[in-house]
Amino acid sequence: LIFLINVYSDLERGIATVALEDAGIPYSLKDYESGNYMRLLTGSSIYGCEIDVAPEDYDRAVEVVMTVLGPGIFEKQNQ
């Protein structure tokens, strides 16, 4: 699997993962540090949640996520 995007809120994560599921794109979620516990308590994590996809699904996954979260979501990754 390869890195697709890092999301910080449950809302972003939920929207992105449902869109990927609807498109038939398998994914994997990876929380860093104590991110999973922070998400349970506060609904977000300063560490973010990484969404990974298979290399052959990457281009389609980018299109799907940009459609639901907007192209700016990938621009935030470089800040």
Side-chain angles (χ1 to χ4, degrees), residues 47-69:
Y47 301 110
C49 177
E50 182 176 306
I51 301 176
D52 299 325
V53 296
E56 60 271 14
D57 293 326
Y58 179 79
D59 291 333
R60 196 163 56 106
V62 168
E63 289 178 29
V64 167
V65 171
M66 280 188 0
T67 299
V68 295
L69 292 178

Side-chain angles (χ1 to χ4, degrees), residues 10-63:
D10 277 351
L11 180 62
E12 286 179 338
R13 184 176 71 167
I15 292 170
T17 56
V18 166
L20 292 170
E21 288 171 11
D22 287 348
I25 301 172
Y27 62 88
S28 174
L29 300 175
K30 186 188 313 179
D31 278 299
Y32 294 104
E33 304 289 332
S34 60
N36 195 36
Y37 298 110
M38 291 178 69
R39 183 171 280 102
L40 289 172
L41 294 173
T42 67
S44 64
S45 168
I46 60 171
Y47 301 110
C49 177
E50 182 176 306
I51 301 176
D52 299 325
V53 296
E56 60 271 14
D57 293 326
Y58 179 79
D59 291 333
R60 196 163 56 106
V62 168
E63 289 178 29

